[in-house]
Amino acid sequence: MKTKVQDAYSMRSTPQVIGAARDAIGMPGHKSRTELNGVGDNPIFLPQEQLTLTGANFQGTPVSLPMDMAGAAITMVSVLSDAA
C-alpha cells in the first residue's frame, strides 16, 4: 500500500501564488489612477514659467506593463487551480 508523503505541490504553493497574484492584480488599478491624474497633453504649456515641455506623455507603457503582469498572474492562478 502506497502512502502520500506530502500534499500535491499545487496545494502547498497556493498561498504564495495567490499572494503574488493579488499584488500583481492590484498594480494596474494603482498605475491607472496615477496616469488618469497625470498630464496627458503633448506638449505641456506652463504659462506662468513661460515654459513648453514636450515628451511622450501619450505612451501607454506605464499602464500596459502592469496589465500584462495581471494577465500573467491570472493565468498562473488558473493553471494552479487546474492542477489541484
Side-chain angles (χ1 to χ4, degrees), residues 14-25:
T14 296
Q16 290 80 5
V17 174
I18 297 293
R22 183 178 176 199
D23 291 343
I25 291 169

Side-chain angles (χ1 to χ4, degrees), residues 15-73:
Q16 290 80 5
V17 174
I18 297 293
R22 183 178 176 199
D23 291 343
I25 291 169
M27 190 179 293
H30 172 72
K31 293 301 286 180
S32 295
R33 283 188 295 279
T34 300
E35 291 299 311
L36 287 171
N37 287 311
V39 177
D41 294 334
N42 193 21
I44 301 167
F45 298 102
L46 303 170
Q48 294 83 4
E49 289 84 21
Q50 296 182 344
L51 184 63
T52 302
L53 301 173
T54 59
N57 302 329
F58 52 84
Q59 179 57 260
T61 304
V63 175
S64 67
L65 287 177
M67 293 295 281
D68 286 345
M69 188 185 333

